[in-house]
């Protein structure tokens, strides 16, 4: 979870987020090289006393500084397109979770398990325990098994919301009358926090998301106990 003053990405918890971090580092290296080269050339021009008063054009130079930016953009665009298609790909999911955004809470349905469903509200500040996070914890967490391909179907009941978990590299709009889907796999256990990322009204910042990643055996035990209750 991100804390105050934390400027980097959250630690990745899915292969998609790892790819996004790699692409960020790749792009930053290219930007640093370009910025360094341009800065060096500008700095050298300021202190260069050599002037060619008869230089009107240089075709070779113009060809170079036209082709070089195109090659740099291609070097950035190819991995960007690859990740874009990876984010939209759904690889034979093992389970499906349905998510509906409301003003101002989320509802979830595990349709693979006899219509198991519940609502998830933010825990008010006056009901927090010592181990809860203010404005981030919910009364009913989304329990998901790790190392399992999961598909999430996302929609909304009233206005546009956005279901976002930064540590998993997930952000999908919840739009009334439309069904969006995303697929991911969590590669480690833990708690992963997110929030609605689309301004949806007065309590937009009070509808957090919490995913609890556990082992498959623990998940099946939770499903059994939930249905029994």
């Amino acid at each position: 979870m991100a804390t105050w003053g934390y400027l980097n990405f959250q630690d990745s918890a899915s292969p998609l987020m790892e790819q996004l971090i790699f692409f960020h580092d790749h792009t930053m290296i290219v930007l640093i090289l370009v910025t360094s080269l341009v800065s060096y050339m500008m700095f050298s021009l300021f202190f260069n006393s050599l002037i060619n008063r008869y230089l009107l054009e240089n075709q070779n130079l113009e060809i170079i500084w036209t082709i070089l930016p195109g090659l740099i953009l291609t070097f950035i665009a190819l991995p960007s397109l690859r990740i874009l298609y990876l984010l939209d790909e759904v690889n034979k999911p093992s389970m499906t979770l349905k998510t509906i955004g409301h003003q101002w809470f989320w509802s979830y349905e595990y349709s693979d398990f006899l219509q198991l469903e519940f609502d998830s509200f933010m825990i008010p500040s006056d009901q927090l325990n010592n181990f809860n996070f203010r404005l981030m914890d919910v009364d009913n967490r989304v329990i998901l098994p790790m190392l399992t391909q999961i598909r999430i179907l996302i929609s909304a009941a009233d206005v546009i919301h956005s279901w976002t978990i930064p540590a998993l590299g997930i952000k999908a709009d919840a739009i009334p009358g439309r069904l969006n889907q995303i697929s991911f796999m969590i590669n480690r256990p833990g708690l992963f926090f997110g929030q609605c990322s689309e301004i949806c009204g007065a309590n937009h910042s009070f509808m957090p998301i919490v995913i609890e990643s556990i082992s498959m055996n623990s998940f099946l035990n939770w499903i059994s106990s939930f249905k029994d209750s």
Side-chain angles (χ1 to χ4, degrees):
M1 186 182 76
T3 56
W4 297 109
Y6 194 78
L7 300 179
N8 297 321
F9 288 108
Q10 297 183 26
D11 294 336
S12 66
S14 72
L16 289 178
M17 189 59 188
E18 290 178 2
Q19 292 295 319
L20 289 171
I21 293 176
F22 290 153
F23 174 67
H24 169 268
D25 296 342
H26 167 84
T27 307
M28 287 302 298
I29 290 175
V30 174
L31 292 177
I32 290 172
L33 291 176
V34 171
T35 304
S36 301
L37 177 62
V38 173
S39 299
Y40 168 76
M41 295 177 67
M42 293 180 63
F43 185 79
S44 62
L45 286 174
F46 288 144
F47 296 96
N48 190 350
S49 59
L50 301 178
I51 298 174
N52 187 347
R53 294 182 298 169
Y54 304 103
L55 179 63
L56 299 178
E57 61 178 337
N58 191 322
Q59 294 291 341
N60 294 330
L61 184 60
E62 291 182 2
I63 291 174
I64 292 174
W65 70 35
T66 301
I67 293 177
L68 188 59
L71 294 176
I72 293 173
L73 290 177
T74 302
F75 193 62
I76 295 175
L78 291 179
S80 174
L81 291 173
R82 174 178 170 271
I83 294 177
L84 188 63
Y85 281 99
L86 284 176
L87 291 173
D88 288 337
E89 189 173 358
V90 179
N91 298 317
K92 296 181 180 179
S94 300
M95 63 168 290
T96 298
L97 173 69
K98 296 178 181 177
T99 301
I100 306 294
H102 304 265
Q103 288 182 314
W104 287 273
F105 65 96
W106 297 97
S107 62
Y108 300 96
E109 178 182 332
Y110 294 76
S111 54
D112 298 328
F113 303 95
L114 300 178
Q115 303 300 316
L116 189 158
E117 55 185 303
F118 56 85
D119 296 331
S120 180
F121 290 85
M122 186 191 74
I123 301 177
S125 299
D126 56 354
Q127 299 179 17
L128 291 174
N129 296 318
N130 292 330
F131 52 84
N132 291 135
F133 292 102
R134 178 177 173 270
L135 303 181
M136 293 298 293
D137 254 312
V138 295
D139 54 358
N140 291 312
R141 295 171 177 169
V142 181
I143 310 296
L144 294 175
M146 63 180 184
L147 302 178
T148 303
Q149 195 69 32
I150 300 167
R151 176 179 63 174
I152 296 188
L153 303 177
I154 302 171
S155 187
D158 34 47
V159 299
I160 298 177
H161 302 275
S162 186
W163 201 80
T164 307
I165 303 290
L168 301 179
I170 294 172
K171 182 179 184 294
D173 289 338
I175 303 173
R178 175 171 178 156
L179 201 62
N180 290 330
Q181 71 172 358
I182 53 176
S183 178
F184 63 91
M185 182 180 68
I186 307 174
N187 55 20
R188 61 185 174 90
L191 291 178
F192 307 108
F193 296 85
Q195 289 178 302
C196 175
S197 298
E198 184 73 32
I199 298 177
C200 56
N203 290 335
H204 154 69
S205 57
F206 299 105
M207 48 184 302
I209 306 161
V210 182
I211 289 182
E212 183 174 349
S213 173
I214 58 179
S215 66
M216 178 57 77
N217 290 334
S218 299
F219 174 76
L220 294 176
N221 292 334
W222 174 78
I223 287 290
S224 300
S225 62
F226 198 101
K227 289 193 294 185
D228 293 340
S229 62

